[in-house]
Amino acid sequence: MGKTLDNVYKHQSLVYKYFLYVVSVALIVFFFPKGGKFKYDFQKGKPWQYENLYAPIDFSIKKTTEEIEQEQSSIRDNKTHYYSFDASIVSNVQVEVAEELNTYFQSGDFSSGQRQSLRTLAEEVIDEVYAHGIFQTVPEAESIVVVRNNEAQPISRTDIIALEGAKRNVSERFAQAGSEGLSFLSAMIRNSLKSNLVYDEALTESALSDELSKISYTRGEVDQGKLIIAKGEIVEPEDFKILNSLKDEYESELWMGSNYYFILLGYTILVALVLIMLFLFLKRYRNEIFENNNKVTFIFFNILLMVLATTLMVKHYESYIYMVPLCILPLVLKNFFDARLGLFVHVLTVLILGFVVPNSFEYIFLQIIAGIVTILTASELYKRANLFISVGQITLIYIIGYFAFHAIHEGNLENIEWVLFGVFVLNGLLTLFAQPLIYMFEKLFGLISDVSLLELSDTNSKLLKELSDKAPGTFHHSLQVANLAEAAANEIGANAMLVRVGALYHDIGKMEQPTYFTENQITNVNPHDDLPPKESAKIIIDHVLNGIEIARKNNIPDRVIDFIRTHHGTTTVYYFFKKQQELEQEVDVDDFKYPGPIPFSKETAILMMSDSVEAASKSLKNPTFTIIDEFVEKIVKGQMQADQFLNANITLKEIELVKKVLKQKLTNIYHLRVEYPE
């Protein structure tokens, strides 16, 4: 048991990668929409490339979204408006008119017969006017139903009467009856009339919902065994609808029952294969990233983030699938790592998403092209204009690509979904979110971007200011090394900004005891003269450890601290080692060696060469082209013989280019001129 645990502990990094791999595969498959995949690819207006297709099952022909929306719109436009008949208002009007008549009768001499006749006439007129009810204003709706005594009664446009119309009808009623002398009664009734039909919004919406629920989402059936389309036949719009209906039915049925587990197994195998390709790529071509679990986790986190965002969009807003800013993925990865890795991960992510998105070929084509454009155009993101230019080009590629596919599918420019152009523009705007996202990733995963490197390269920063105050000679040396290393990095295509920052901070440990380093000694007094060689060597060596400690206290990123660790590798403090040998025969060389590690990247290797060449160049007297050439060759050759570049992924050709740049720069520094023959 103890042996097993010991093995697990030794291989814990590999165990973590296995765990990350399994969890990532499981999460991606879990994110996928629950449905199988139709085994035929087809496009409207293109020939059917497979054998004759017969209906494998009975299925319904589904209406398109546009057809359903048109039906819904038609029902909403012609919906029935419901009004409630308020009988209490009619009663109140009758009571009000009766009371006014009684008051009127008291002012004159009326017989009981006349009084009864007038009351009866008033009641008849009121009943006639309120026969169908009175609206406040004439409604515009074509279909109107009046609810009276819990009974719904449709009312025709000819029977609709508004309050003003009802008052006119009362006047006409008395005129037709030859009752001009009863103008007082006509006025009483007109003044008392009120609208009694009240719009019932709740009942109207309820009836509308019932009508909408009755919409059929299908229009016909296809029986099993019926020929759907023959080989070579053009997929016409009607065929396209039938094939889409079969596809939906097939995929939904495929996911049911025992098929579920086979589909799940298929998805798992395909996703697992894609992620294995990623691990193999990292292991073979980016081993320094593969060995760093933090960086591997960061890459997988970004893949999962894009898969989650896209699958959620597929489930809920399939038409707006291109709103997901997938190009953020290569943008971010190129910023933290390199272009090749960014494009490779982007392509693998697009392949994963190709399983679940509609029109997978169109989607994969557009996203891969957009990813390539991102890699080719996005550089130096710390310059604000570069990101906007890159995003503009990505958006343009999406628009041109969609336009081309639409022309291929439709054969004309009709029915272009202009809303998709807005989606592409929104995609571009969301891609601009890469900048704050990069900042968040820096803090979350402890990575470093070009923007942060630019901030660190400011010589007015607190730590570099302190270095220039305490150790001005070291500060000047660091600036010179930064210039040399940056030029060399540009020559071989390494990260020039990272090298420059590493060079600026590589000797900050010398601030602890600046006078023990020759570049800071302003007098002829050398404090090493009073120390034994071993102790002097320890002070020199300790500037690496002190530098690491100072950098960590000042929250300098690990990628920059790597330059402090490795800029001397495991070389020997040769001067004091020789002095110690003069004092005793048996000398332990390990006491005079830097702790390392040796450089493990192009950038750290460039710094080691530049630092050694710049520091040693101070001892050159009357340098010539030949002297500088031999001088640089000797220093770099010594480092190579000491196996300092074994772990750095730098080639012999690149080392030659670095030496060439260092020679040119030193020639410029010493202002050497070509000697012409006399």
Side-chain angles (χ1 to χ4, degrees), residues 223-376:
D223 297 327
Q224 184 176 358
K226 181 181 178 181
L227 177 64
I228 297 175
I229 191 168
K231 183 177 180 179
E233 187 178 338
I234 299 298
V235 180
E236 301 292 346
E238 187 61 28
D239 298 324
F240 188 73
K241 293 175 184 177
I242 295 174
L243 287 170
N244 271 325
S245 299
L246 174 60
K247 178 182 176 182
D248 293 341
E249 188 71 24
Y250 182 83
E251 290 180 350
S252 62
E253 284 200 7
L254 196 62
W255 192 252
M256 301 299 178
S258 61
N259 294 330
Y260 170 86
Y261 299 103
F262 284 102
I263 293 171
L264 203 63
L265 176 64
Y267 275 143
T268 303
I269 291 173
L270 291 175
V271 173
L273 283 175
V274 171
L275 295 186
I276 283 176
M277 294 304 105
L278 176 57
F279 269 122
L280 291 176
F281 176 84
L282 292 176
K283 178 66 176 174
R284 186 173 180 83
Y285 299 107
R286 298 293 183 274
N287 193 57
E288 73 281 2
I289 296 176
F290 180 80
E291 296 296 334
N292 190 319
N293 283 341
N294 184 54
K295 292 179 180 178
V296 174
T297 304
F298 171 71
I299 294 170
F300 274 78
F301 175 81
N302 277 275
I303 294 173
L304 290 173
L305 188 65
M306 289 302 160
V307 171
L308 173 61
T310 305
T311 50
L312 285 176
M313 193 64 73
V314 169
K315 288 180 183 178
H316 302 290
Y317 305 100
E318 190 177 280
S319 301
Y320 302 105
I321 187 70
Y322 288 102
M323 192 180 294
V324 178
L326 204 63
C327 288
I328 282 182
L329 183 60
L331 251 178
V332 169
L333 293 181
K334 181 183 178 183
N335 186 77
F336 286 115
F337 304 115
D338 61 85
R340 188 178 177 187
L341 176 61
L343 182 59
F344 189 82
V345 174
H346 176 73
V347 170
L348 291 183
T349 306
V350 171
L351 290 177
I352 291 174
L353 294 174
F355 300 145
V356 295
V357 296
N359 301 320
S360 56
F361 173 76
E362 177 182 327
Y363 179 85
I364 291 173
F365 182 89
L366 282 178
Q367 294 293 10
I368 289 179
I369 291 296
I372 293 172
V373 170
T374 303
I375 292 298
L376 294 177

Side-chain angles (χ1 to χ4, degrees), residues 301-302 305-306 323-329 331-332 336 381 387-388 391 394 425-441:
F301 175 81
N302 277 275
L305 188 65
M306 289 302 160
M323 192 180 294
V324 178
L326 204 63
C327 288
I328 282 182
L329 183 60
L331 251 178
V332 169
F336 286 115
L381 293 184
L387 180 60
F388 283 93
V391 166
I394 294 167
V425 171
L426 185 57
N427 177 293
L429 293 175
L430 290 174
T431 304
L432 292 174
F433 189 67
Q435 277 287 23
L437 199 61
I438 287 170
Y439 176 79
M440 288 189 286
F441 283 151

Side-chain angles (χ1 to χ4, degrees), residues 16-262:
Y16 173 78
K17 290 182 180 68
Y18 284 134
F19 172 77
L20 181 65
Y21 174 76
V22 172
V23 169
S24 298
V25 171
L27 284 175
I28 290 173
V29 174
F30 175 77
F31 291 153
F32 278 0
K34 301 298 183 286
K37 288 294 289 182
F38 194 50
K39 57 185 177 181
Y40 302 110
D41 287 324
F42 54 90
Q43 295 178 2
K44 185 165 58 175
K46 295 295 179 182
W48 179 255
Q49 299 176 347
Y50 308 96
E51 296 298 326
N52 295 352
L53 178 63
Y54 297 90
I57 53 175
D58 294 333
F59 66 95
S60 301
I61 303 173
K62 294 184 178 180
K63 295 177 182 176
T64 64
T65 304
E66 292 76 15
E67 289 173 334
I68 294 171
E69 287 177 351
Q70 285 178 0
E71 286 189 38
Q72 291 175 338
S73 178
S74 176
I75 290 173
R76 289 191 180 94
D77 293 341
N78 299 292
K79 70 178 180 180
T80 300
H81 291 251
Y82 285 81
Y83 286 82
S84 299
F85 187 95
D86 192 345
S88 64
I89 291 178
V90 180
S91 300
N92 292 338
V93 170
Q94 289 176 338
V95 170
E96 185 178 335
V97 170
E99 289 176 352
E100 290 186 14
L101 276 175
N102 289 335
T103 303
Y104 183 74
F105 291 153
Q106 291 174 4
S107 63
D109 188 13
F110 295 92
S111 65
S112 59
Q114 288 175 324
R115 292 180 181 180
Q116 185 60 38
S117 176
L118 289 172
R119 288 194 183 98
T120 302
L121 179 60
E123 290 174 1
E124 289 177 357
V125 171
I126 292 171
D127 287 339
E128 289 176 9
V129 172
Y130 281 103
H132 298 290
I134 299 175
F135 294 89
Q136 182 64 37
T137 57
V138 178
E140 296 179 358
E142 291 294 328
S143 178
I144 295 174
V145 171
V146 174
V147 179
R148 186 173 186 177
N149 297 326
N150 293 327
E151 291 186 8
Q153 299 174 346
I155 182 172
S156 65
R157 297 294 301 180
T158 56
D159 293 329
I160 292 175
I161 183 171
L163 185 57
E164 292 301 320
K167 291 179 180 181
R168 287 195 299 271
N169 288 353
V170 169
S171 299
E172 292 172 1
R173 170 70 173 77
F174 279 96
Q176 291 171 359
S179 308
E180 290 84 353
L182 297 177
S183 58
F184 71 92
L185 182 57
S186 175
M188 286 181 189
I189 295 174
R190 290 199 309 273
N191 292 335
S192 299
L193 288 179
K194 297 180 182 63
S195 61
N196 75 318
L197 292 178
V198 181
Y199 180 65
D200 193 333
E201 184 177 2
L203 185 57
T204 300
E205 291 302 318
S206 176
L208 175 62
S209 298
D210 289 341
E211 289 297 317
L212 291 174
S213 66
K214 293 176 184 176
I215 292 178
S216 173
Y217 288 83
T218 62
R219 50 177 186 82
E221 299 282 335
V222 176
D223 297 327
Q224 184 176 358
K226 181 181 178 181
L227 177 64
I228 297 175
I229 191 168
K231 183 177 180 179
E233 187 178 338
I234 299 298
V235 180
E236 301 292 346
E238 187 61 28
D239 298 324
F240 188 73
K241 293 175 184 177
I242 295 174
L243 287 170
N244 271 325
S245 299
L246 174 60
K247 178 182 176 182
D248 293 341
E249 188 71 24
Y250 182 83
E251 290 180 350
S252 62
E253 284 200 7
L254 196 62
W255 192 252
M256 301 299 178
S258 61
N259 294 330
Y260 170 86
Y261 299 103
F262 284 102

